Amino acid sequence: MRPVVVKIGGSLLESGDALRGLARALAPAWSGGVPLVLVHGGGKDINRNLQWLGEEPKFKDGLRITSEDALLIVEMTLSGTVNKRLVSLLQSEGARACGISGVDGSTLICLPLDPELGRVGTVSHVRPALVEALLAARFLPVISPISTDTAGAHYNVNADDAASALAVAMKAERLVYVSDVPGVMDGNKHILPKLNRDAAESLIKSNVIAGGMIPKVRSCLSAVEAGVGEVHICGFSSPEKLEAQISGTSNSGTIFGV
């Protein structure tokens, strides 16, 4: 069975109730035999920890500028606090979770993205052997997007990009982005349940899909074209709806296909 990669981010990570609901959605799917992989961000936790140390968060084109000092905080937050919070919640719901980062097993190999961004990387190669071994042993891998280059230096990688690269490398059955965005909207602000390349480019041309949604939509379509079965964008409203989204039995967001 091909794996299902779930990526979570946004305000979902800030709400204890939402995180418990997420765990209640993932645990039954895992118990039912779905090979699940969870990739997470944690931007607001990082901002809070940086501010405690007197460093203001800085961004360029939506990406966090990560100095050498900031990377220490980013890694401690993502691979430590946030990762273990998710592992504990999943285990409290009965799932055998195991927290790792892209550094472990050299799972996510990266290159520097832009000198002006500092220690920010882009995934150049995926080695999924560790994740596959955890799945084979019936663990639910929980992955922080901190990654490594071939010399062993660590980098901050965008969690959406990390999830997409991993899903493509593992030829995932499904890649599900769960965040504040409930789906891609049409001109009347209704969620589009299905979207392919031609329809998406038409909506971009007519300015219905605009701003930061353009690269997100194109990234989803590229993942499908690279071998992922389906890519979903959805919000979180209840554990039952999210479990149905993950299992593919129901759709409350947008599904990208060829």
Side-chain angles (χ1 to χ4, degrees):
M1 186 182 297
R2 293 163 68 186
V4 175
V5 177
V6 179
K7 186 269 172 178
I8 61 167
S11 63
L12 180 63
L13 286 165
E14 293 292 295
S15 167
D17 288 342
L19 284 178
R20 283 186 289 274
L22 171 83
R24 287 196 295 271
L26 293 177
W30 174 86
S31 297
V34 177
L36 284 176
V37 178
L38 179 63
V39 179
H40 64 83
K44 292 184 179 179
D45 284 274
I46 293 169
N47 291 346
R48 188 160 47 243
N49 290 346
L50 285 172
Q51 287 168 347
W52 281 344
L53 295 176
E55 184 166 339
E56 282 298 315
K58 297 175 184 177
F59 296 85
K60 178 190 175 186
D61 299 330
L63 294 172
R64 181 183 302 278
I65 297 173
T66 308
S67 66
E68 295 280 346
D69 289 340
L71 179 65
L72 296 174
I73 303 304
V74 171
E75 184 161 13
M76 284 189 287
T77 303
L78 289 179
S79 301
T81 308
V82 176
N83 189 272
K84 301 315 169 193
R85 181 191 306 150
L86 291 167
V87 168
S88 292
L89 282 168
L90 286 162
Q91 291 184 156
S92 71
E93 294 295 330
R96 292 175 68 211
C98 178
I100 64 170
S101 76
V103 174
D104 295 292
S106 296
T107 298
L108 299 175
I109 305 296
C110 66
L111 297 170
L113 182 59
D114 178 346
E116 292 185 15
L117 290 170
R119 294 294 286 275
V120 173
T122 180
V123 178
S124 61
H125 186 65
V126 178
R127 295 173 178 162
L130 175 58
V131 179
E132 290 169 345
L134 289 170
L135 290 174
R138 285 292 294 134
F139 282 95
L140 195 169
V142 180
I143 304 176
S144 151
I146 298 296
S147 303
T148 182
D149 66 11
T150 54
H154 294 188
Y155 286 82
N156 183 20
V157 169
N158 178 275
D160 281 0
D161 295 341
S164 178
L166 186 62
V168 168
M170 299 184 73
K171 298 198 179 299
E173 179 69 28
R174 202 167 289 113
L175 168 60
V176 183
Y177 290 106
V178 188
S179 70
D180 310 327
V181 180
V184 182
M185 307 290 184
D186 64 15
N188 297 313
K189 303 300 180 185
H190 297 139
I191 295 173
L192 292 162
K194 298 276 186 181
L195 205 55
N196 60 23
R197 173 72 69 178
D198 289 344
E201 293 297 342
S202 176
L203 291 168
I204 290 169
K205 189 175 180 181
S206 60
N207 228 21
V208 173
I209 296 174
M213 186 57 75
I214 293 174
K216 184 179 283 288
V217 164
R218 284 180 170 154
S219 174
C220 290
L221 290 164
S222 294
V224 171
E225 290 161 1
V228 177
E230 292 178 343
V231 179
H232 299 209
I233 292 178
C234 67
F236 177 80
S237 56
S238 73
E240 294 76 21
K241 283 190 175 181
L242 181 56
E243 185 185 353
Q245 193 87 39
I246 290 167
S247 65
T249 58
S250 181
N251 174 34
S252 56
T254 301
I255 298 177
F256 296 83
V258 291

